Amino acid sequence: MNNNSFFLIVGVLTFALMGCSTAPGNDEVSKLNNPVVESNRRHSSMAKPLRQSPVPSFNLVYSSWKGTPYRLGGSSKRGIDCSAFVQVGYSSVFNQRLPRTTGEQARLGEWIPLAQATEGDLVFFKTGRTMRHVGIYLGNSEFLHASTSQGVVISRLDNPYWRRTFWQARRLHTQ
């Protein structure tokens, strides 16, 4: 391994361990002493533009969680329930914390007619005498949720089951 490779590896590892942070006021010093920056400066004509992170969206949330199994009380990729999944979605897209349970979430924001629902509104269902279910409306009669039988999926509100159990739609005031 030559010196340039060694410094490049050390620089990358240092960057990864620091989590992209530098001490206040030390930006120029760290650039001068960083072999990765120095290497990039020498090869700037060949450098590729940095790839920007995608804008958070419910489609990205779905892509990341698709197929994750349902688990009552779960909140991880090993298993998640409907209210925890709604928490994850709102945290990812709106950087907004929601209460943990469906019952608490059903009291947030304001009631809206389903016909006026737009992407990001919450849709609630009465799936049993005391059981409630929640999902995130996507538009076009589709909603994203953690299904007890299929895990994280997109379902249609005009499906006979969901149409029959639909309870309410609520619009939250996002920050």
Side-chain angles (χ1 to χ4, degrees), residues 16-165:
L17 292 173
M18 289 176 45
C20 305
S21 65
T22 57
N26 290 336
D27 288 334
E28 292 307 311
V29 172
S30 61
K31 285 179 185 173
L32 292 174
N33 295 324
N34 186 333
V36 173
V37 171
E38 188 57 39
S39 174
N40 285 345
R41 193 177 294 131
R42 282 190 298 246
H43 304 292
S44 63
S45 63
M46 297 186 310
K48 296 178 182 176
L50 290 177
R51 190 173 172 162
Q52 298 222 348
S53 296
V55 175
S57 71
F58 292 116
N59 288 331
L60 285 175
V61 171
Y62 175 60
S63 295
S64 176
W65 287 83
K66 180 180 181 180
T68 298
Y70 179 91
R71 182 166 54 173
L72 184 62
S75 59
S76 73
K77 297 266 177 126
R78 290 189 354 222
I80 192 163
D81 67 21
C82 62
S83 58
F85 182 69
V86 167
Q87 277 187 315
V88 167
Y90 260 70
S91 177
S92 298
V93 174
F94 298 122
N95 198 27
Q96 183 174 354
R97 290 183 51 98
L98 297 183
R100 177 63 179 90
T101 69
T102 303
E104 293 169 316
Q105 292 173 1
R107 293 188 290 272
L108 296 176
E110 62 183 303
W111 178 91
I112 57 167
L114 182 56
Q116 292 178 13
T118 59
E119 182 177 359
D121 290 336
L122 299 184
V123 287
F124 294 89
F125 306 86
K126 289 185 177 182
T127 55
R129 210 175 84 166
T130 58
M131 297 292 294
R132 303 294 180 260
H133 186 71
V134 63
I136 302 168
Y137 189 70
L138 298 175
N140 297 320
S141 292
E142 294 183 324
F143 69 105
L144 177 59
H145 63 119
S147 161
T148 57
S149 61
Q150 297 174 298
V152 174
V153 294
I154 295 175
S155 296
R156 294 201 47 86
L157 286 167
D158 54 11
N159 169 292
Y161 176 77
W162 296 116
R163 187 176 10 176
R164 184 177 72 251
T165 60

